[in-house]
């Protein structure tokens, strides 16, 4: 049985899928969006950061009704050992602007809102439906999808794969490889609920101001990893993520890492007395530029996390997802308006647009950073945080010991941990990776 032909089928209703579906529907294309959950966002309980400029390009008046939590005015970075953190933070009243740049959101609410916008734009959304296989013609061109609904085939001129980093549709079809463990992180997250005024007091914020804390160090037990706290109106999104390859090699349990992060003396007071209502695990692409698969082919394009479009250095993912989804939608709409077929050659327009954007330029710039941090993970996430804490503690402690002795102790700790050349070598490689 074959269903009515659509101009485009979008598989997935996350950031990239909604951006693609909305962009095409607004331009008059017949769009079908498939979501395996009960509704868009039903499988996303976690909090996240949303970058306003990317959404504003798609929906200029989104602030009128989007479910936004707090606009961010402060960012803190912590380097942690087992009992301390050394930090830096940036806070600016400039972020209390009329149209703020970054917001915290709760994905379950936000994705549902975005999906409603797709429907209002004319898109058709089919939930609780899994695309199980790509349908092809005799020449191998993708012409639609099979679903778990009685094996029916739904035809379309093009299929947009927005199924996430661990989506099976593209890998089953041989369009991309199964992501390698060293290119994917597993993040575990909890939602800690507290009264709005308590959150404001603990983080030093007022009104709908928000604060983000990102932390690295011994909390990941020598593996490449990052901990985070996002302030929402009446909750704190707290979590930690580490590479799957590191978790497999060390046999560390993700929840144990999360529990250790929560119990750290720098974190514990911030969530004291909170009620945990939600827990989730989520895979995040971490491979960077070198892990990006083929992005287009005859009758298909891939966007967002499924395309490994995540800037791990700057912890940016949702903005890259929205941009890639929008550009896929724009390129498909343009090809359609010209009366051209959705061939690999014509769909290369999507890749050309993406190459000219900040997405590929940023990922290309930092292409060596992931491998550097992964190769020297114990140094960056264990040894150096301990050395930094040791140096700060000796600098600040006053107990009658001569300063020269304190300095000698700090120097000895650095030498014992790693040769001076080793430290310099890591510093040089890190500097070159940032260039």
């Amino acid at each position: 049985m074959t269903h009515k032909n659509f101009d485009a089928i979008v598989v997935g209703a996350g950031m990239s899928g909604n951006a693609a579906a909305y962009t095409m529907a607004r331009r008059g294309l017949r769009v079908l969006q498939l979501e395996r959950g009960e509704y868009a966002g039903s499988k996303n309980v976690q909090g996240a950061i949303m970058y306003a400029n990317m959404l504003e390009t798609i929906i200029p008046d989104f602030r009128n009704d989007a479910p936004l939590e707090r606009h961010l005015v402060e960012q803190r970075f912590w380097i942690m050992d087992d009992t301390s953190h050394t930090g830096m933070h940036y806070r600016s009243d400039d972020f209390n602007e009329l149209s703020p740049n970054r917001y915290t959101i709760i994905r379950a609410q936000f994705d549902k809102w975005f999906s409603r916008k797709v429907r209002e734009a004319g898109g058709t959304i089919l939930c609780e439906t899994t695309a199980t296989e790509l349908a092809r013609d005799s020449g191998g061109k993708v012409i639609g999808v099979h679903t778990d609904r009685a094996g029916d085939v739904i035809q379309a001129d093009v299929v947009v794969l927005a199924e996430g980093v661990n989506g099976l549709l593209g890998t089953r079809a041989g369009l991309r490889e199964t992501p390698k463990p060293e290119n994917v992180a597993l993040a575990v997250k909890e939602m800690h609920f507290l009264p709005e005024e308590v959150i404001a007091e603990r983080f030093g914020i007022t009104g709908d101001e928000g604060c983000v804390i990102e932390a690295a160090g011994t909390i990941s037990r020598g593996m490449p990893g990052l901990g985070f706290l996002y302030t929402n109106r009446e909750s704190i999104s707290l979590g930690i993520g580490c590479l799957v390859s590191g978790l497999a090699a060390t046999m560390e349990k993700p929840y144990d890492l999360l529990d250790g992060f929560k119990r750290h003396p720098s974190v514990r007071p911030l969530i004291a007395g909170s009620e945990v209502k939600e827990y989730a695990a989520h895979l995040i692409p971490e491979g960077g530029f070198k892990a990006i698969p083929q992005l287009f082919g005859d009758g298909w394009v891939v966007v967002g996390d499924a395309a490994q479009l995540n800037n791990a250095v700057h912890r940016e993912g949702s903005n890259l997802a929205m941009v890639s989804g929008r550009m896929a939608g724009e390129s498909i709409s343009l090809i359609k308006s010209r009366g051209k077929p959705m061939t690999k050659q014509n769909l290369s327009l999507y890749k050309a647009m993406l190459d000219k954007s900040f997405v590929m330029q940023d990922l290309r710039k930092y292409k060596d950073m992931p491998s550097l941090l992964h190769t020297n993970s114990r140094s960056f996430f264990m040894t150096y945080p301990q050395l930094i804490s040791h140096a700060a503690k000796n600098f600040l402690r006053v107990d009658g010991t001569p300063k020269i002795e304190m300095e000698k102790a700090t120097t000895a700790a650095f030498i014992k941990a790693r040769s001076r050349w080793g430290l310099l070598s890591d510093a040089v490689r890190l500097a070159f990776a940032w260039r």
Side-chain angles (χ1 to χ4, degrees):
M1 179 179 178
T2 301
H3 280 280
K4 174 183 175 182
N5 183 282
F6 288 88
D7 293 319
I9 294 173
V10 179
V11 181
M15 288 289 198
S16 62
N18 282 329
Y22 180 86
T23 299
M24 291 185 289
R26 284 278 293 175
R27 286 163 172 74
L29 272 64
R30 294 167 297 168
V31 179
L32 173 66
Q33 189 173 25
L34 302 178
E35 165 57 36
R36 62 189 176 91
E38 183 182 354
Y39 56 86
S42 63
K43 296 184 179 296
N44 282 326
V45 303
Q46 74 271 19
I49 296 176
M50 193 278 293
Y51 301 86
N53 177 266
M54 289 71 203
L55 181 59
E56 199 166 28
T57 304
I58 302 168
I59 306 177
D61 60 351
F62 77 89
R63 293 182 179 86
N64 291 345
D65 61 350
L68 307 173
E69 290 293 305
R70 293 179 179 272
H71 73 275
L72 296 173
V73 298
E74 182 172 340
Q75 179 89 31
R76 304 178 193 176
F77 300 95
W78 288 355
I79 298 176
M80 309 179 81
D81 71 355
D82 293 343
T83 60
S84 70
H85 77 266
T86 305
M88 60 172 287
H89 71 268
Y90 180 76
R91 181 180 181 129
S92 175
D93 193 53
D94 291 343
F95 289 138
N96 283 314
E97 52 202 331
L98 183 62
S99 300
N101 178 252
R102 298 190 304 161
Y103 296 88
T104 53
I105 59 172
I106 296 174
R107 286 290 303 272
Q109 300 171 9
F110 185 85
D111 290 0
K112 193 173 185 179
W113 168 85
F114 208 163
S115 181
R116 187 176 75 246
K117 291 297 180 181
V118 173
R119 188 177 290 109
E120 292 172 357
T124 300
I125 303 169
L126 194 58
C127 295
E128 296 183 292
T129 303
T130 300
T132 57
E133 186 181 357
L134 293 175
R136 299 176 185 265
D137 64 15
S138 58
K141 182 182 182 295
V142 172
I143 58 170
V145 299
H146 297 273
T147 74
D148 58 354
R149 292 179 177 245
D152 293 346
V153 175
I154 307 176
Q155 291 189 341
D157 296 335
V158 63
V159 175
V160 179
L161 298 171
E163 53 182 345
V165 66
N166 60 332
L168 297 177
L169 195 61
T171 54
R172 285 173 178 166
L175 305 184
R176 60 189 180 101
E177 296 180 355
T178 300
K180 298 177 180 178
E182 60 269 26
N183 290 335
V184 181
L186 176 64
V188 287
K189 312 176 182 185
E190 290 180 343
M191 295 288 283
H192 289 251
F193 286 81
L194 285 165
E196 187 172 348
E197 61 273 16
V198 173
I199 293 174
E201 180 182 1
R202 291 183 181 179
F203 288 85
I205 50 182
T206 59
D208 65 350
E209 292 178 341
C211 173
V212 166
I213 299 174
E214 294 178 321
T218 62
I219 53 171
S220 61
R221 302 179 187 174
M223 296 178 287
L226 186 76
F228 56 87
L229 293 93
Y230 303 153
T231 56
N232 305 311
R233 286 193 180 275
E234 296 182 333
S235 65
I236 297 171
S237 301
L238 179 148
I240 187 170
C242 293
L243 285 182
V244 172
S245 58
L247 293 169
T250 62
M251 299 302 292
E252 293 280 3
K253 296 179 180 179
Y255 188 80
D256 288 343
L257 297 174
L258 181 62
D259 191 58
F261 183 47
K262 290 191 300 182
R263 294 176 183 276
H264 191 281
S266 296
V267 175
R268 190 171 59 245
L270 298 175
I271 58 172
S274 64
E275 181 182 2
V276 181
K277 293 185 178 180
E278 297 171 350
Y279 171 81
H282 179 62
L283 289 174
I284 302 171
E286 293 284 334
F289 182 79
K290 295 180 180 179
I292 296 174
Q294 176 70 24
L295 296 178
F296 62 94
D298 281 329
W300 61 273
V301 297
V302 59
V303 297
D305 283 3
Q308 285 276 338
L309 299 178
N310 183 66
N311 187 333
V313 176
H314 289 274
R315 289 88 51 215
E316 296 177 13
S318 64
N319 56 337
L320 276 63
M322 285 189 285
V323 171
S324 65
R326 172 177 63 81
M327 289 186 170
E330 289 176 348
S331 60
I332 291 168
S333 299
L334 187 57
I335 294 168
K336 186 72 176 178
S337 70
R338 293 172 176 173
K340 301 292 185 180
M342 298 297 167
T343 61
K344 180 177 181 180
Q345 180 178 356
N346 289 333
L347 287 170
S348 66
L349 174 62
Y350 161 55
K351 177 64 161 49
M353 293 173 66
L354 208 56
D355 282 341
K356 293 179 181 178
S357 73
F358 78 93
V359 173
M360 286 302 196
Q361 291 182 39
D362 286 355
L363 290 176
R364 188 178 292 108
K365 174 180 173 61
Y366 301 115
K367 65 181 185 297
D368 295 323
M369 184 63 75
S371 60
L372 172 61
L373 294 177
H374 301 171
T375 302
N376 301 278
S377 62
R378 189 159 188 86
S379 294
F380 288 116
F381 296 94
M382 185 68 77
T383 305
Y384 296 165
Q386 291 171 335
L387 292 176
I388 291 171
S389 176
H390 185 92
K393 187 185 302 181
N394 279 352
F395 181 79
L396 296 172
R397 184 181 291 279
V398 179
D399 59 5
T401 303
K403 299 301 182 187
I404 188 65
E405 296 300 324
M406 292 284 200
E407 293 169 4
K408 286 180 179 179
T410 299
T411 302
F414 273 74
I415 294 175
K416 181 179 179 181
R418 193 175 179 90
S419 70
R420 287 181 179 275
W421 174 250
L423 288 170
L424 179 60
S425 177
D426 274 350
V428 169
R429 287 199 297 270
L430 192 62
F432 271 94
W434 271 92
R435 285 196 314 169

